[in-house]
Amino acid sequence: MTRATLLTVTAPTRPASADEHGADRAAGDAGFVLADFGAPQVRITDLGITRGDGVFETIAVIDGHPQALELHLGRLAHSAALLDLPEPDAAVWREAVLAGVADYRSRNGDGGELFAKLILTRGIEGEGRPSGWVFVDEGEDFSQQRLGIRVVTLDRGYRHDVAETSPWLLAGAKSLSYATNRAAGREAARRGADDVIFVSSDGYALEGPTSNVIVLADGVVRTPQTDQGILAGTTQAAVFDFFEERGYPTEYRRISADELRDAEALWLVSSVRQAAPITALDDREYPVDAALTADLNAYLLARTDLEHHHHHH
Amino acid sequence: MTRATLLTVTAPTRPASADEHGADRAAGDAGFVLADFGAPQVRITDLGITRGDGVFETIAVIDGHPQALELHLGRLAHSAALLDLPEPDAAVWREAVLAGVADYRSRNGDGGELFAKLILTRGIEGEGRPSGWVFVDEGEDFSQQRLGIRVVTLDRGYRHDVAETSPWLLAGAKSLSYATNRAAGREAARRGADDVIFVSSDGYALEGPTSNVIVLADGVVRTPQTDQGILAGTTQAAVFDFFEERGYPTEYRRISADELRDAEALWLVSSVRQAAPITALDDREYPVDAALTADLNAYLLARTDLEHHHHHH
């Protein structure tokens, strides 16, 4: 039974000139088309599969609302720029996400937590034209993880300043080359844990494989500053809003692995799972303020981002 | 015009038990089928595309002969093990490569340099069954690069011992997560160079993004030892054979970036391009012994690997 909605984004990136744009898309061409989720869609020579050469975003969709859509579109563009890909056409991707969500809900009903995944690749080798897809499906059930997760720290192997010294390592880009993130997850499972916090080779706390770290210590809520090859978190920004509304100071700065261990409370936050409180980091146990975390997740799930849609055409 | 041959490997990995094997493949089922190279073959939720979660090999095919086929199959299995993938069924992949080459040549004639690419992914998310493909196509024309290439060194960001200290970083696995290798190639082009030698963060010469480094100094031919997260080179092994037959001692050991710069001659060697002599490394120029390199490439292209085919069934 195929329930998911798949769209092929036929015009995923902005043309170099207005003329080219005119040639690329006829009037009435939205730049995306419905496709068959159950059928193969990717050519075997697409660089997305042969080289993991592309970028992605995963967006939570709550009651039909794609959360932090503009932040995700901005991050897609940022990742694409780090990979020297052409600029994604934000208007096309935005409308594709909304159309995908509408199609999914028209077929499957309005309830539940969904997600939209956006994939932009460098395209078929030799053709010089990026490929794009959006798919919308039901999210995994993260209700248990929102009550608590066990986490281990793993060395990411890079110094904290690697994004500045070696930009070709693509630290901070949400690329399709995520095999090491998956391997870190398997290593965590071998150690009896649910997730990972990466630490730089010189001892700074960084991020999870697919999440940001929130640290509460001395009454201040902090997250590692993003100039360390860390993905700027769309959910982390909302978490800071939540705590600021409750009077907590918030701060971006370098956080040593030792500080992490000495924290009062820790969360991993991400778009679809939202906030998962950490009950154990390596061999240290943490008490969880269940009421605070429940409030946080209620806040995150209720977000409607009073965003304006900026149309560039 | 589609000339390439594509095969879907329907039984890419070895079953956990004989019973399972019986259930998986009927008598007369080779474990692979011809597929349409021009049509999409990969589902959008295959972890090969969404996470670069898989491994690959590229094999040169000269006059119908897949070079170092057994070494490549061995390395595919090694990469799969590093990614905790099930063991590839070598018999199936071997026969798929041979069938693909035969099909290509039956349609396109016998001449020229071809390549076979083997792709094994973790499969469609949630299905727990790996995906596999083999495709055979004409190789790029590397005749100019076999006369000389300009190379820059780039910091790979990892210490030389990262494969031991942080196996989850998958150093030494030929994974589909090659976006950083592609980014390094673009950085080289920005610097006016053709290719890259990666250097560890602690100053050791490692490998190219898709090649091994051969260093001639003081009459000895060396390559960086592979316990530094370096892919064991199938072509590099043949290059050592070539030099040993001519009386050069050969050696695997750590080579500092300084030693690299002080070498008499350098090559990058790989399966399809074979041996490319380095005419410049960063700002230093190297003389090329054109006759020696021509002999080396003639030797590499003439290999017929007197290998026995080991059938496990």
Side-chain angles (χ1 to χ4, degrees):
Chain A
M1 183 186 59
T2 298
R3 295 157 46 96
T5 291
L6 175 64
L7 301 163
T8 298
V9 182
T10 50
T13 53
R14 292 172 64 78
S17 72
D19 279 1
E20 201 182 317
H21 183 259
D24 270 351
R25 275 167 65 198
D29 177 355
F32 58 86
V33 292
L34 265 174
D36 181 356
F37 181 77
Q41 297 293 343
V42 186
R43 289 272 304 273
I44 193 63
T45 50
D46 193 296
L47 291 159
I49 177 117
T50 56
R51 301 291 183 182
D53 197 1
V55 298
F56 75 102
E57 283 293 323
T58 308
I59 304 177
V61 179
I62 312 297
D63 295 329
H65 175 75
Q67 293 197 311
L69 179 55
E70 298 307 313
L71 286 176
H72 282 286
L73 293 175
R75 200 167 64 177
L76 186 75
H78 179 68
S79 294
L82 288 174
L83 267 73
D84 303 310
L85 284 164
E87 186 189 349
D89 190 331
V92 168
W93 288 92
R94 179 186 302 115
E95 296 304 323
V97 169
L98 297 174
V101 170
D103 177 83
Y104 184 94
R105 284 159 58 93
S106 75
R107 293 185 300 106
N108 298 292
D110 287 350
E113 296 182 25
L114 312 178
F115 71 90
K117 183 165 256 190
L118 291 61
I119 294 178
L120 170 66
T121 83
R122 203 174 301 276
I124 295 168
E125 186 153 18
E127 295 196 353
R129 198 152 38 85
S131 306
W133 294 274
V134 170
F135 64 92
V136 177
D137 204 353
E138 199 171 13
E140 210 178 311
D141 178 6
F142 286 116
S143 52
Q144 282 306 308
Q145 298 211 14
R146 287 176 190 158
L147 299 178
I149 55 173
R150 301 181 68 83
V151 174
V152 292
T153 54
L154 292 180
D155 183 351
R156 189 158 72 173
Y158 294 142
R159 291 181 310 267
H160 77 279
D161 58 351
V162 74
E164 289 156 56
T165 60
S166 303
W168 48 87
L169 301 173
L170 305 178
K174 203 166 173 71
S175 90
L176 298 175
S177 286
Y178 256 37
T180 59
N181 286 329
R182 301 260 304 168
R186 292 191 299 275
E187 177 67 19
R190 275 191 286 269
R191 299 183 185 193
D194 305 298
D195 211 330
V196 170
I197 295 177
F198 283 123
V199 174
S200 71
S201 59
D202 51 352
Y204 291 100
L206 298 174
E207 61 188 343
T210 58
S211 60
N212 289 99
V213 183
I214 305 288
V215 182
L216 172 61
D218 311 317
V220 180
V221 173
R222 299 188 175 95
T223 197
Q225 66 188 56
T226 55
D227 64 357
Q228 303 169 94
I230 294 174
L231 221 63
T234 55
T235 306
Q236 168 270 313
V239 170
F240 270 28
D241 290 345
F242 169 86
F243 279 109
E244 284 165 14
E245 287 180 14
R246 274 151 195 78
Y248 291 84
T250 62
E251 189 183 17
Y252 296 84
R253 72 163 163 80
R254 293 200 216 305
I255 297 171
S256 73
D258 288 342
E259 274 185 277
L260 203 64
R261 274 182 271 276
D262 296 339
E264 291 152 36
L266 297 165
W267 293 264
L268 287 182
V269 303
S270 51
S271 294
V272 179
R273 189 174 63 184
Q274 310 289 352
I278 294 178
T279 60
L281 181 67
D282 299 328
D283 53 2
R284 183 172 164 176
E285 307 279 327
Y286 293 79
V288 167
D289 184 335
L292 178 65
T293 295
D295 284 353
L296 173 57
N297 273 314
Y299 176 92
L300 293 173
L301 290 166
R303 273 180 298 162
T304 53
D305 323 306
L306 301 169
E307 298 163 337
H308 296 284
H309 289 187
H310 301 284
H311 290 270
H312 297 286
H313 301 299
Chain B
M1 184 184 58
T2 298
R3 294 156 47 95
T5 291
L6 175 64
L7 300 163
T8 299
V9 182
T10 51
T13 54
R14 291 172 67 78
S17 73
D19 279 3
E20 200 182 314
H21 183 257
D24 270 351
R25 274 167 64 197
D29 177 355
F32 57 87
V33 292
L34 265 174
D36 181 356
F37 181 79
Q41 298 291 344
V42 187
R43 289 272 304 272
I44 194 64
T45 51
D46 194 293
L47 291 160
I49 178 117
T50 55
R51 300 291 184 183
D53 197 1
V55 298
F56 75 102
E57 283 292 325
T58 309
I59 304 177
V61 179
I62 311 297
D63 295 329
H65 175 75
Q67 295 198 309
L69 178 55
E70 298 309 312
L71 287 176
H72 282 286
L73 293 175
R75 198 167 65 178
L76 186 75
H78 178 68
S79 294
L82 289 173
L83 267 72
D84 302 310
L85 285 164
E87 186 189 349
D89 190 331
V92 168
W93 288 92
R94 180 186 302 115
E95 296 305 323
V97 169
L98 296 175
V101 169
D103 177 83
Y104 184 93
R105 283 160 58 92
S106 76
R107 294 186 299 104
N108 298 292
D110 287 350
E113 296 181 26
L114 311 178
F115 70 91
K117 183 164 256 189
L118 291 61
I119 294 177
L120 171 67
T121 83
R122 204 175 300 275
I124 295 167
E125 186 151 22
E127 296 196 353
R129 200 153 35 86
S131 307
W133 293 274
V134 170
F135 63 92
V136 178
D137 203 354
E138 199 171 12
E140 209 178 310
D141 178 4
F142 286 118
S143 52
Q144 281 305 308
Q145 299 210 13
R146 287 175 191 158
L147 300 179
I149 55 173
R150 302 180 68 85
V151 174
V152 291
T153 55
L154 292 180
D155 183 352
R156 191 159 72 172
Y158 294 141
R159 291 181 311 267
H160 76 280
D161 58 351
V162 75
E164 289 156 56
T165 59
S166 303
W168 48 86
L169 300 174
L170 305 177
K174 203 166 171 71
S175 90
L176 298 176
S177 287
Y178 257 36
T180 58
N181 286 329
R182 301 260 306 168
R186 292 192 299 274
E187 177 68 17
R190 276 191 284 268
R191 298 183 187 194
D194 306 298
D195 212 329
V196 169
I197 296 177
F198 283 123
V199 174
S200 71
S201 60
D202 51 354
Y204 291 100
L206 299 173
E207 62 188 344
T210 59
S211 61
N212 289 100
V213 183
I214 305 288
V215 182
L216 173 61
D218 310 317
V220 180
V221 173
R222 298 188 176 94
T223 198
Q225 67 188 55
T226 55
D227 65 356
Q228 302 168 95
I230 293 175
L231 222 61
T234 57
T235 306
Q236 170 269 313
V239 169
F240 270 30
D241 291 344
F242 169 86
F243 279 109
E244 285 164 14
E245 287 181 16
R246 274 153 195 78
Y248 291 84
T250 61
E251 190 183 17
Y252 295 83
R253 72 163 163 79
R254 293 202 216 304
I255 296 171
S256 73
D258 288 342
E259 274 184 276
L260 203 65
R261 274 182 269 277
D262 295 340
E264 290 151 38
L266 298 164
W267 292 264
L268 288 182
V269 303
S270 51
S271 293
V272 180
R273 191 173 61 183
Q274 312 288 354
I278 293 179
T279 60
L281 181 66
D282 298 329
D283 53 3
R284 184 174 161 173
E285 307 279 329
Y286 293 79
V288 167
D289 184 334
L292 178 66
T293 296
D295 283 354
L296 173 57
N297 273 314
Y299 176 92
L300 293 173
L301 290 166
R303 272 181 299 162
T304 54
D305 324 304
L306 300 169
E307 298 162 337
H308 298 283
H309 289 185
H310 303 282
H311 291 270
H312 298 285
H313 301 301

